[in-house]
Amino acid sequence: MATTPAWKLRRLATRAKRVQERRASESPVLAAYSTTLPPKVDAFVAAYDAAAKYENTWRREMREGKGAVAALLRHIQSWLPLLTRDLPGFDPSTFGDKPDVPDDVIEDGNRLAEVLEEATTADGKPLAYKLAALDALSPSLVAANKEWSEAEAADATYQKLLKESRATAVVLDKEIQTFRRSLAHAVGRNDKDFQKLRVERASQKDDEDDAAAPSPPAPITPAAEGAALPTGR
């Protein structure tokens, strides 16, 4: 696991690459990084940026998926009182009992559709509201299946991108730490190029940052005295 936060490592990555390129001619030891540091920077930057770019898609798909499942849950719950009234032995507690598990909610929707399709009154007739209930439930069930399937696919893609980003971060973090130590011996710790590669300086803008370098996270505003702290995401 990388010890440097990913957003800081992303900012340091291009700085390190440019410092190495610029100062390689001054020292054989700095030149020795020419074949190792640049490709590790490029691999991490590509992986980090791909994950960052996909994050909005992932958030949108998860929001739409959970929204569709929540709508299905409301449809399921709306018919439970009538079915409890009209079907002896019907147990409403087995429907929607795991509202935070989308797959279970969708399965409950399928089971409820089967109940509505097969249930009969005491005289053997279909429930009077069978068709109305199925007409209301079916579109919601189709939407939940579709949107949650897309959300799961987006999540799988995003997790794969994050995994690649983390893996390349571990490699680059070690490389930059090693390069920084070599730089300190070659030019001194007071040199501006050594200073700009310190993790503590990553939150400060530098003329060698690229346009895609992430901005520092917004500071957390202290809660007013006596006010409740935000729960966060």
Side-chain angles (χ1 to χ4, degrees), residues 4-21 37-46 48-49 168-169 172-173 175-176 179-180 196-198 202 208-210 213-214:
T4 304
W7 72 269
K8 287 188 174 184
L9 189 61
R10 174 62 180 82
R11 292 169 72 91
L12 294 174
T14 49
R15 296 183 195 181
K17 183 178 179 180
R18 289 167 181 170
V19 167
Q20 193 280 324
E21 290 173 348
L37 191 146
K40 291 175 183 178
V41 166
D42 293 345
F44 170 70
V45 167
Y48 179 95
D49 288 358
T168 55
L172 179 62
D173 197 22
E175 181 79 358
I176 288 182
F179 177 65
R180 201 160 48 222
K196 74 171 58 184
L197 294 184
R198 294 173 57 203
E208 291 186 307
D209 290 339
D210 62 19

Side-chain angles (χ1 to χ4, degrees), residues 114-153:
E114 291 177 1
V115 170
L116 290 165
E117 189 68 49
E118 299 172 2
T120 57
T121 60
D123 56 2
K125 295 181 179 180
L127 295 170
Y129 46 82
K130 169 185 172 179
L131 294 180
L134 288 173
D135 285 346
L137 181 66
S138 295
S140 183
L141 186 56
V142 169
N145 268 298
K146 174 183 177 295
E147 296 297 343
W148 186 243
S149 177
E150 292 175 357
E152 288 185 312

